[in-house]
Amino acid sequence: MAEVEKLYVTYNEVHKLCQESAARILADINPQLMIAIGGGGYVPARILRSFLRQTGRPNIPIQAIGLSLYESLPETTNNATPGVPEVPGTRVTRTQWLDMSALGGMENIVGKRVLIVDEVDDTRTTLEYAVKELEKDVEAARQRLGSNEKTEFSIFVLHNKDKQKKGFLPKEMIDSGRYIAARTLGDAWINYPWEAVDIDEHDRLAAEAASRNAK
Amino acid sequence: MAEVEKLYVTYNEVHKLCQESAARILADINPQLMIAIGGGGYVPARILRSFLRQTGRPNIPIQAIGLSLYESLPETTNNATPGVPEVPGTRVTRTQWLDMSALGGMENIVGKRVLIVDEVDDTRTTLEYAVKELEKDVEAARQRLGSNEKTEFSIFVLHNKDKQKKGFLPKEMIDSGRYIAARTLGDAWINYPWEAVDIDEHDRLAAEAASRNAK
């Protein structure tokens, strides 16, 4: 990993990435529900909600789901130190799923435009899992309803790593512009601010990198 | 409202409030599960998780619940503009509740130490609702199990407003130090960074206030 570029993203950069993507998300997707993949999707989803809010309309509801990627050998990948990004794994485990009881049940997602939010698209394993499992649940609800309505899932991530993916998303989603990454970059090691032990040092490293890149 | 102090909280301040509270939370509460009240609890819960992580242990799972406070006249309080804090109301509405299916069912909360996280304790209405409803669900699960184990709910908020509260928390929770506010302040108008339209301006206003207060 020694050769991999380390990227330090500040909170204000995360805020601005959400802000600049909001116009495109409203125009191209106009979501009626957000699903935040926790923990990484919590911060961008909350920020995005502020920018997606439209005059005279209530906030877009956020549902949180919890997904974790584990390595085959979990014992060896227990990076207990904040500041050390978690090693991406291969097996997805749920810690929380949708609870639509307060929003009219799963039937109420049928026919809606749903935006899935996460911080990073690394191997794409988690996103593939989320889309497939959500589509399965929605399809079951659609059949219960006997409805013909199509549910449109879209994705927003702060960063997409341009690398060989292990997971796959529906071609139609990507072709129709329903996959939005605020930034696409190489296989960098991304340090998000909510993982920083020392946020001032984190910001200093981000500023240093910015001034190096400006030269 | 003209006389109410306006407080601008930066992301890095939120980060540091979580960081400095983490030691106390680990020592006094040592939570096994976090419940983030969305949307305001999402950001502090995610940050806190980094600082609560202990060597050799997995992350503490976060469950998100969605609660909104509405005014009696929802039509008039639709602040559609980011940057304008939402007006606190009196009626709590659920948009998401726990989904413990992946964590062994509600029965698996019985006997656990659970930390409820939100950004602000204003009228206390939302927190009272959360604690009461969670206790109700846990009590039902305890009875199903025929268990005698006690579930310990605690609360962490970034800011507690020292004002007449409309909601109440169990006396025993407060007396035993299971209510933690990183800061207690007067009835200020708190602007959190995730609501800011212009985050640079927000930071500038925060810095101005800090330099005024330092004089």
Side-chain angles (χ1 to χ4, degrees):
Chain A
M1 297 282 279
E3 299 300 316
V4 175
E5 187 202 353
K6 278 193 188 178
L7 187 69
Y8 294 86
V9 187
T10 68
Y11 281 112
N12 284 12
E13 281 163 7
V14 170
H15 191 92
K16 289 173 185 177
L17 290 176
C18 293
Q19 181 167 23
E20 67 171 54
S21 305
R24 188 174 155 203
I25 291 170
L26 278 175
D28 294 2
I29 295 165
N30 195 16
Q32 295 160 296
L33 175 71
M34 270 193 275
I35 295 179
I37 302 181
Y42 285 2
V43 180
R46 179 57 193 87
I47 298 170
L48 201 53
R49 196 179 76 171
S50 296
F51 289 110
L52 293 182
R53 196 168 188 189
Q54 291 180 292
T55 312
R57 300 232 198 123
N59 273 316
I60 298 171
I62 302 176
Q63 284 264 321
I65 59 175
L67 298 178
S68 294
L69 265 179
Y70 287 105
E71 285 285 332
S72 340
L73 298 167
E75 294 303 307
T76 64
T77 60
N78 229 335
N79 296 308
T81 325
V84 178
E86 288 161 36
V87 178
T90 48
R91 198 166 57 83
V92 178
T93 310
R94 290 185 188 191
T95 55
Q96 178 171 26
W97 199 243
L98 297 185
D99 162 62
M100 288 290 292
S101 57
L103 296 176
M106 273 306 289
E107 284 74 8
N108 207 29
I109 291 195
V110 175
K112 293 286 198 305
R113 298 179 300 275
V114 180
L115 182 66
I116 299 166
V117 178
D118 208 348
E119 91 278 44
V120 64
D121 177 357
D122 185 343
T123 61
R124 200 160 277 179
T125 308
T126 309
L127 288 170
E128 175 186 288
Y129 179 93
V131 171
K132 279 195 175 156
E133 295 293 303
L134 289 168
E135 281 186 337
K136 216 184 286 176
D137 285 8
V138 167
E139 176 57 21
R142 192 191 64 77
Q143 290 185 11
R144 285 197 297 276
L145 282 175
S147 159
N148 287 321
E149 286 192 281
K150 218 178 124 39
T151 308
E152 232 178 48
F153 288 102
S154 305
I155 286 175
F156 171 69
V157 291
L158 298 171
H159 298 98
N160 174 31
K161 295 187 186 175
D162 186 14
K163 62 190 274 189
Q164 183 67 44
K165 301 292 189 186
K166 292 181 191 164
F168 297 92
L169 294 172
K171 188 174 178 306
E172 189 253 336
M173 173 193 279
I174 292 175
D175 289 349
S176 59
R178 288 187 286 108
Y179 173 91
I180 297 181
R183 291 286 182 277
T184 300
L185 68 174
D187 195 8
W189 183 346
I190 308 177
N191 293 281
Y192 288 100
W194 46 85
E195 291 163 353
V197 200
D198 182 338
I199 194 66
D200 295 321
E201 170 76 359
H202 178 94
D203 282 10
R204 201 182 56 70
L205 292 166
E208 267 184 23
S211 91
R212 265 201 312 276
N213 291 337
K215 274 175 195 165
Chain B
M1 298 283 278
E3 298 302 314
V4 175
E5 187 202 353
K6 276 194 189 178
L7 187 69
Y8 294 87
V9 187
T10 68
Y11 282 112
N12 284 12
E13 281 163 9
V14 170
H15 191 91
K16 289 172 185 177
L17 290 176
C18 293
Q19 182 168 21
E20 67 171 53
S21 304
R24 189 175 154 200
I25 291 170
L26 278 175
D28 295 2
I29 295 164
N30 195 14
Q32 296 159 295
L33 176 72
M34 271 193 276
I35 295 178
I37 303 182
Y42 284 2
V43 179
R46 179 57 194 87
I47 298 170
L48 201 53
R49 197 179 76 170
S50 296
F51 289 110
L52 293 182
R53 195 168 189 188
Q54 292 179 292
T55 313
R57 300 232 199 122
N59 273 316
I60 298 171
I62 302 176
Q63 285 264 321
I65 60 175
L67 298 178
S68 294
L69 265 179
Y70 289 103
E71 285 284 331
S72 339
L73 300 167
E75 295 304 307
T76 64
T77 60
N78 229 334
N79 296 308
T81 326
V84 179
E86 289 161 34
V87 178
T90 48
R91 199 166 56 84
V92 178
T93 310
R94 289 186 189 190
T95 55
Q96 177 171 26
W97 199 243
L98 298 185
D99 162 63
M100 287 291 291
S101 56
L103 296 176
M106 273 307 287
E107 284 74 9
N108 207 29
I109 291 196
V110 175
K112 294 284 199 303
R113 299 179 298 276
V114 180
L115 182 67
I116 300 166
V117 178
D118 208 350
E119 91 278 44
V120 65
D121 177 357
D122 185 346
T123 62
R124 201 161 276 180
T125 309
T126 309
L127 288 170
E128 175 186 289
Y129 179 92
V131 171
K132 279 196 175 157
E133 295 293 304
L134 289 168
E135 281 186 337
K136 216 183 287 176
D137 285 8
V138 167
E139 175 57 18
R142 192 192 63 76
Q143 289 185 11
R144 284 196 299 274
L145 282 175
S147 160
N148 288 321
E149 287 192 279
K150 217 180 124 40
T151 308
E152 233 177 48
F153 288 102
S154 305
I155 287 175
F156 171 70
V157 291
L158 298 171
H159 298 98
N160 174 31
K161 295 187 186 175
D162 186 14
K163 63 191 273 189
Q164 183 67 44
K165 302 293 188 184
K166 293 181 190 164
F168 297 92
L169 295 172
K171 188 174 178 307
E172 189 253 338
M173 174 192 277
I174 292 175
D175 289 349
S176 60
R178 288 187 284 109
Y179 172 91
I180 296 181
R183 291 286 182 277
T184 299
L185 67 176
D187 196 9
W189 183 346
I190 308 177
N191 293 281
Y192 288 100
W194 47 85
E195 291 164 351
V197 200
D198 182 337
I199 193 67
D200 295 321
E201 171 76 359
H202 178 94
D203 283 9
R204 200 181 57 69
L205 292 165
E208 268 184 22
S211 90
R212 264 200 312 276
N213 291 338
K215 274 174 196 165

